[in-house]
DNA sequence: TAGATTGTTAATCGATTAACAATC
DNA sequence: TAGATTGTTAATCGATTAACAATC
């Protein structure tokens, strides 16, 4: 579901990294200085052997007989992911979904700042969302370059998704998170992650029909 | 990342079903009566052999030398997924994320209706989102039973997620879509799908650091 | 018939996990 | 020392894909 440039580390490992980071922050907030892979396994529902193996792709961070030093491992994880500093986002689509993304506190809390919002609808251009003014999407390239934005979020209707992806690639954006159901194609060197929220819901539906069927 | 009841069909297959359905609808809207697995592969970025194999778990829907009849296959997919009728959702959390979910048109377009919204914040209870009044979360069980709601969406802060999951299970909700970063635990028979939107963003970050590193 | 495309087998590939020596 | 837990190997498991006979 994600096209990306090759690397020796499996995609699945990378996907679990943020899950580990999250669990580690929980553990830190509970005040533990040290944590075992068994404890992390409980919190993440990932097999403990897998956690150790995943971590070992990046180094030996633990101490046998003791576990992992929480603060240190958080640091390492943030370093590997690149979430040790904030990242500016360009958001295209100022509808319901876009507005929600722009005002979602969870983003800032984990190092993301929506620093520019775009739309093509004249009725929306000029509006404020939080403290950001919605700009015409035709100014995307200029703004992205000026603000050195590397990450773009697509929150537009299906029919406009590919077009926006093209604009983003041209604007020098290197990572695209696509919330529309349309699978977009981009040039090499741009990473797209397609993540349609309704798709997840439809997927869970399958299990619902089975449950009902039995009942 | 999703705990679910066992079945002989791999999780990956189920995850791809909505992707196929989406592509099929695209094809239908373009007016084609028939589609090959090769064409579907282009649209979904899923290997064509895999598409054929995935479909074969549910039956033989195609004609050799010809392909799949689009309308018929859409029907079959909807049938398998249970998206051949609308589903009512209970949404807990009337903050930014919750409001966005409630007013997102993409839901209704694919057969989901948010039919009740809950929060625990007295400042939010009584507010309207669209044409739905936010209710006290303590009335969840009553409302869910009265409206026969089987699907719940968690859109509350991390600290409240587990509590809400417990309430939902107790209310007879069978499928939970959890948008918080907290991995929640539920009783057998309840399916949870954890899908933190910021996690996806952090995950793509990894590829960004690599790209920057090279540049 | 010749060309196309499915459904399915068998081969490949990769990811998960159990197990355990190393070591704190 | 005894107990705990890592890092890593080897075994297992499952998913992906190439290939092709069946057949439209």
């Amino acid at each position: 579901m994600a096209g990306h440039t090759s690397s020796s580390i499996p995609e699945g490992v990378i996907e679990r990294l943020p899950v580990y980071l999250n669990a580690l922050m929980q553990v830190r907030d509970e005040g533990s200085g040290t944590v075992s892979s068994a404890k992390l396994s409980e919190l993440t529902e990932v097999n403990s052997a897998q956690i150790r193996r995943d971590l070992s792709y990046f180094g030996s961070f633990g101490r046998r007989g003791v576990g992992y030093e929480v603060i240190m491992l958080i640091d390492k994880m943030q370093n590997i992911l690149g979430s040790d500093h904030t990242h500016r986002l360009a958001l295209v689509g100022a509808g319901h979904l876009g507005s929600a993304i722009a005002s979602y506190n969870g983003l800032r809390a984990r190092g993301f700042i929506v620093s520019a919002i775009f739309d093509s609808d004249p009725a929306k251009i000029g509006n404020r969302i939080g403290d950001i003014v919605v700009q015409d999407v035709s100014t995307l390239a200029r703004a992205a370059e000026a603000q050195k934005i590397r990450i773009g979020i697509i929150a537009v209707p299906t029919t406009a998704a590919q077009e926006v992806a093209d604009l983003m690639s041209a604007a020098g954006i290197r990572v695209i998170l696509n919330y529309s159901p349309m699978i977009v194609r981009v040039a090499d060197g741009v990473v797209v992650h397609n993540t349609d929220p309704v798709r997840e819901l439809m997927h869970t539906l399958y299990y619902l029909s089975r449950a009902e069927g039995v009942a």
Side-chain angles (χ1 to χ4, degrees), chain A residues 17 40 55 64 72 90 99 132 136 157-158 161 171 188 192:
Chain A
L17 256 28
L40 284 175
L55 294 179
R64 287 160 204 246
M72 186 273 267
S99 306
I132 298 173
D136 191 303
T158 312
D188 275 5
V192 186

Side-chain angles (χ1 to χ4, degrees), chain A residues 49-61 68:
Chain A
Q50 180 150 152
I51 294 176
R52 294 197 300 277
R53 193 177 218 290
D54 284 356
L55 294 179
S56 77
Y57 278 103
F58 304 100
S60 296
F61 304 132
Y68 301 90

Side-chain angles (χ1 to χ4, degrees), chain A residues 4-14 16-17 53-54 56-59:
Chain A
H4 60 82
T5 46
S6 71
S7 128
S8 53
I9 295 166
E11 173 82 2
V13 175
I14 311 300
R16 286 187 290 272
L17 256 28
R53 193 177 218 290
D54 284 356
S56 77
Y57 278 103
F58 304 100

Side-chain angles (χ1 to χ4, degrees), chain A residues 75-195:
Chain A
D75 243 56
K76 293 286 184 193
M77 294 284 96
Q78 288 185 325
N79 229 260
I80 292 162
L81 281 167
S83 79
D84 46 2
H85 55 102
T86 57
H87 292 267
R88 285 177 300 285
L89 309 176
L91 172 65
V92 179
H96 284 306
L97 182 59
S99 306
I101 293 169
S103 32
Y104 182 48
N105 295 324
L107 278 177
R108 206 171 230 109
R110 281 185 278 171
F112 296 98
I113 296 176
V114 175
S115 73
I117 307 178
F118 304 90
D119 207 296
S120 62
D121 179 357
K124 283 182 190 138
I125 295 166
N127 286 356
R128 286 173 152 275
I129 297 181
D131 50 1
I132 298 173
V133 176
V134 177
Q135 299 173 262
D136 191 303
V137 72
S138 66
T139 66
L140 172 64
R142 220 163 339 156
E145 273 156 43
Q147 298 175 61
K148 289 196 172 42
I149 298 175
R150 295 275 104 95
I151 306 177
I153 299 186
I154 299 180
V156 300
T158 312
T159 47
Q162 181 61 58
E163 193 184 339
V164 171
D166 295 343
L167 279 172
M168 285 183 169
S169 314
I173 281 179
R174 297 276 74 100
V175 170
I176 296 176
L177 191 62
N178 174 24
Y179 280 106
S180 91
M182 169 70 80
I183 288 172
V184 298
R185 209 101 6 151
V186 291
D188 275 5
V190 180
V191 179
V192 186
H193 197 78
N194 296 298
T195 172

Side-chain angles (χ1 to χ4, degrees), chain A residues 192-210:
Chain A
V192 186
H193 197 78
N194 296 298
T195 172
D196 169 22
V198 184
R199 181 149 62 219
E200 315 248 11
L201 214 38
M202 301 200 65
H203 159 206
T204 61
L205 222 46
Y206 177 82
Y207 298 103
L208 184 63
S209 350
R210 303 312 106 160

